Amino acid sequence: MKDYSQAFINTNGEEFPNTKAVDAGSPGNTNGTEIIADLLNDNWGFSQALLKAASIIPNGEDETADNSQKLEAIKKLYNDADTALKNILTQTITQADNAVKTELNQKISKETTDRTQADTTLQNNINTEKARITKEITDRTNADKNLQNQINTAKYNIPSNGTEVKMPYTIDGKAVYKRFWSKSFTNNQIISSLPDLNISTPENILSIKYLAVSTYDGIITCNDYKYGDRPYAFISFFKDIKVNIKDPIVMICNVDIEYIKG
């Protein structure tokens, strides 16, 4: 662009950017701002630059209010700039959105990994606890079985009242049997009401255990006769004894005899 204060002689005398053109004093007078090539070239240069920037070729027609290539160029440059700005904004927003998504995905991935590890740890703890409980149940079941076995074994040693029970072992190839009695006696009852042993010889008796409890004086008598202690003599004595203590009196006798047959 020309500096109009320098390119023209007749101006208002102001420097750039306040330089203005002036009219001639009268028709035919030459003291007005001159129309020279510099003025036209400056205007033409701008017009041509405007159309060139908008990639518009002059159509050879006069500029009018309804048909102006300069206005078309301005609109096109505005639209191009607007489109470019929108593209930049869209790209910027997309990049920011992608960055946020990437950060969120990383956080979600880490949280998922942490939760997976926590779940794995929890499952391991659950499995360990289940194994411990299973072992405890197994141990208790085995203990119950052992206790039941002991109870079943003990049943051999405590048979039903007066019933002869064959024991699960022998002595010198002879079968071993056991009988158990539990009976209460009141005053003047004879203990001989116990069933007959039907044992042929005293030597066949292996052991006699008895427990007698008196409700009168609270005395507990307990003896254990083994083979060689004349248990048969005890049986004879036991069968003939009477309870002759002050009324009221109850005596509970438990007798456990082990013997052989054959």
Side-chain angles (χ1 to χ4, degrees), residues 183-193 240-244 249-251:
K183 193 172 182 64
S184 62
F185 303 89
T186 58
N187 192 31
N188 292 324
Q189 278 190 318
I190 299 175
I191 301 178
S192 60
S193 59
D240 295 334
I241 194 171
K242 288 184 179 181
V243 179
N244 291 311
I249 180 65
V250 175
M251 185 170 74

Side-chain angles (χ1 to χ4, degrees), residues 209-225:
K209 299 178 183 179
Y210 80 92
L211 173 66
V213 181
S214 170
T215 60
Y216 173 74
D217 53 12
I219 297 175
I220 298 176
T221 304
C222 182
N223 281 297
D224 188 355
Y225 289 86

Side-chain angles (χ1 to χ4, degrees), residues 19-235:
T19 306
K20 293 182 179 180
V22 295
D23 291 328
S26 60
N29 197 330
T30 59
N31 61 351
T33 301
E34 59 272 25
I35 297 176
I36 58 176
D38 284 341
L39 176 60
L40 296 176
N41 289 337
D42 196 57
N43 287 328
W44 291 357
F46 170 72
S47 297
Q48 293 177 94
L50 187 61
L51 266 65
K52 180 180 179 182
S55 300
I56 297 175
I57 303 301
N59 58 12
E61 298 177 4
D62 293 336
E63 292 284 295
T64 66
D66 297 324
N67 184 20
S68 173
Q69 284 190 297
K70 293 180 183 179
L71 180 59
E72 181 185 350
I74 292 173
K75 288 181 178 180
K76 185 176 185 302
L77 292 175
Y78 172 82
N79 290 333
D80 290 346
D82 183 64
T83 300
L85 180 60
K86 288 180 178 178
N87 291 337
I88 292 174
L89 290 176
T90 300
Q91 183 178 4
T92 302
I93 292 173
T94 300
Q95 291 176 346
D97 184 59
N98 291 336
V100 171
K101 287 181 179 178
T102 299
E103 184 178 359
L104 287 176
N105 289 334
Q106 289 175 347
K107 288 182 178 180
I108 292 173
S109 177
K110 183 178 184 304
E111 184 173 348
T112 301
T113 300
D114 293 343
R115 289 187 179 182
T116 300
Q117 292 175 348
D119 290 343
T120 301
T121 301
L122 177 60
Q123 189 61 51
N124 290 337
N125 293 337
I126 291 174
N127 292 337
T128 300
E129 186 64 14
K130 286 174 62 177
R132 184 191 68 78
I133 294 174
T134 301
K135 183 179 183 302
E136 183 175 345
I137 292 174
T138 301
D139 293 343
R140 289 185 179 181
T141 301
N142 292 335
D144 291 343
K145 289 181 180 178
N146 291 335
L147 178 59
Q148 188 61 50
N149 291 335
Q150 293 176 9
I151 292 173
N152 293 337
T153 301
K155 287 181 179 178
Y156 284 108
N157 298 323
I158 308 177
S160 301
N161 195 29
T163 303
E164 183 179 72
V165 177
K166 185 176 182 181
M167 304 305 292
Y169 52 85
T170 60
I171 295 180
D172 296 331
K174 296 180 179 180
V176 178
Y177 296 85
K178 178 176 285 192
R179 285 190 184 187
F180 173 82
W181 291 274
S182 178
K183 193 172 182 64
S184 62
F185 303 89
T186 58
N187 192 31
N188 292 324
Q189 278 190 318
I190 299 175
I191 301 178
S192 60
S193 59
L194 290 172
D196 189 359
L197 288 176
N198 295 323
I199 300 175
S200 58
T201 60
E203 289 76 11
N204 287 342
I205 298 177
L206 300 176
S207 67
I208 299 176
K209 299 178 183 179
Y210 80 92
L211 173 66
V213 181
S214 170
T215 60
Y216 173 74
D217 53 12
I219 297 175
I220 298 176
T221 304
C222 182
N223 281 297
D224 188 355
Y225 289 86
K226 298 293 180 62
Y227 179 76
D229 292 337
R230 299 184 64 198
Y232 197 80
F234 163 74
I235 293 175

